[in-house]
Amino acid sequence: LEDFSTLASTVFSPEPAASARRTPHLDRLAARSVVFRNTFCQAPICNPSRTSFLTGRRPTATQVWSNDDSKFPPLPTIVDFVRSTAPSAAVACTGRGKIFHRACDVEPHGFENGETQLTADAAMASAAERTLRAAIRQSSIDDMARRSLRNALNNTPRYRRTKDQEKTAVALLLLGHYAATRTRFFLAVGLASTHVHGGRICIPGAYENEGGKPIGPDARIAPSRAKEIDPPLVTWPNWDIPRFDVGERWQREVTGHYFACATHVDSQIGLLTDALDVLKLTASTAIVVQGDHGFSLGRHGRWSKYNLYEDATRVPLLMAVPGRPAAVVTTVVESL
């Protein structure tokens, strides 16, 4: 996940049940997962953080310190690890969206681009869709989940889809293909609707799709930092949102905007987990939800990332593994 804050619901909401309304699918997945409450990224910026947890090396080893560093030393990645676990078995390592800092079709590092595969093999794509539609029809999932999966598979014009909806649609077809062919797979889906985009906190479309609105007057917001001239030494300038005294109205609008985008990401996670259920893959599939860094929503006068406060360095990490009971781990862990 990109720019996904684990603190958003608790920091800004006066009611304890707010997270269940904003991220119900993630909460449902967490209930059967090992949840790491105190996971911290190696750097509060996309490229060094992602390179770090995908290679298992700190930035001091990868030498990737900023988003401009496009190359790193010849280090093995998570793809090499997955394929080395069973060299004699066919393992599909497929990605879609933001996996490394740039999409995996530009810098693959061992991943194959799922959309390219489906586009190049129309018969494969068609068979995968038939498998998934049949599984949806025969499953016992509730009607809302059934409708959501069918809608995700419909050929909605791209201009009406968000980028994350496109990524999810590709991932759903790939899951249908893997289920039909009994292929061992490692599928990475880089969801990014909570990314800062052109000064807006979301990818266009996600806010409107989730019916976003400003947070209410009862919700607490961070105090203004109108008189701050220089940022503290633990931060870079805001960069994505180069303002300090943003005003209460703007702050409430942007925070509501961010929550709507988080809900949009959550909806995609729900589609993916529902697809695993209907394809009868849940019992044999481990699910990991990992974030590259958090997101500041005004605390300490900070917006976006690029700082060493907990809002930007604490990240979501949960693992739902068949046979492993749910648990909560409070020990501090790194994104390695």
Side-chain angles (χ1 to χ4, degrees), residues 32-309:
R32 60 182 178 91
S33 301
V34 178
V35 179
F36 296 85
R37 292 287 189 193
N38 287 299
T39 305
F40 290 83
C41 63
Q42 307 310 115
I45 180 173
C46 318
N47 199 18
S49 177
R50 288 173 174 269
T51 302
S52 183
F53 71 71
L54 289 166
T55 61
R57 304 293 198 280
R58 296 187 179 92
T60 47
T62 66
Q63 292 299 296
V64 175
W65 297 102
S66 76
N67 285 345
D68 295 327
D69 295 329
S70 59
K71 302 294 182 183
F72 58 85
L75 296 169
T77 70
I78 193 169
V79 172
D80 300 298
F81 171 77
V82 169
R83 287 188 167 140
S84 70
T85 59
S88 62
V91 182
C93 292
T94 311
R96 179 69 176 94
K98 189 171 183 180
I99 312 303
F100 283 84
H101 178 57
R102 300 177 70 186
C104 64
D105 55 337
V106 178
E107 295 177 4
H109 299 298
F111 286 102
E112 295 180 35
N113 181 273
E115 186 173 23
T116 301
Q117 286 179 299
L118 294 170
T119 303
D121 192 337
M124 167 187 161
S126 179
E129 183 170 351
R130 287 197 302 272
T131 297
L132 186 50
R133 287 190 182 278
I136 295 169
R137 187 169 57 250
Q138 297 164 11
S139 73
S140 58
I141 58 173
D142 63 71
D143 289 341
M144 182 176 294
R146 193 188 311 276
R147 284 196 302 272
S148 296
L149 279 172
R150 285 174 174 166
N151 288 339
L153 289 174
N154 290 339
N155 295 320
T156 306
R158 286 201 169 192
Y159 68 86
R160 294 181 56 191
R161 282 185 175 183
T162 67
K163 293 293 185 182
D164 277 354
Q165 286 175 321
E166 291 179 17
K167 298 169 194 174
T168 301
V170 168
L172 293 176
L173 290 178
L174 290 171
L175 289 175
H177 171 66
Y178 299 145
T181 56
R182 298 180 178 272
T183 302
R184 296 178 72 248
F185 66 90
F186 177 73
L187 174 63
V189 186
L191 301 173
S193 287
T194 41
H195 191 280
V196 171
H197 185 83
R200 298 178 62 205
I201 303 183
C202 88
I203 288 177
Y207 178 66
E208 292 80 4
N209 285 5
E210 300 300 337
K213 60 183 179 180
I215 58 173
D218 296 332
R220 292 179 291 114
I221 59 174
S224 169
R225 295 291 289 267
K227 296 181 180 180
E228 182 174 332
I229 298 174
D230 297 314
L233 293 178
V234 295
T235 76
W236 291 3
N238 272 318
W239 191 265
D240 292 309
I241 305 173
R243 302 172 61 183
F244 290 99
D245 184 21
V246 297
E248 181 177 335
R249 177 178 176 180
W250 186 89
Q251 189 168 350
R252 290 186 181 278
E253 287 179 354
V254 168
T255 302
H257 201 171
Y258 179 87
F259 286 158
C261 293
T263 298
H264 186 64
V265 168
D266 180 75
S267 298
Q268 311 317 304
I269 293 173
L271 288 167
L272 295 169
T273 54
D274 285 342
L276 291 173
D277 287 343
V278 302
L279 292 167
K280 297 182 171 30
L281 293 173
T282 300
S284 58
T285 304
I287 303 172
V288 178
V289 177
Q290 164 77 40
D292 58 358
H293 48 71
F295 194 90
S296 297
L297 290 167
R299 293 211 304 176
H300 304 288
R302 299 290 95 195
W303 292 89
S304 186
K305 51 244 185 188
Y306 312 120
N307 68 76
L308 297 180
Y309 290 119

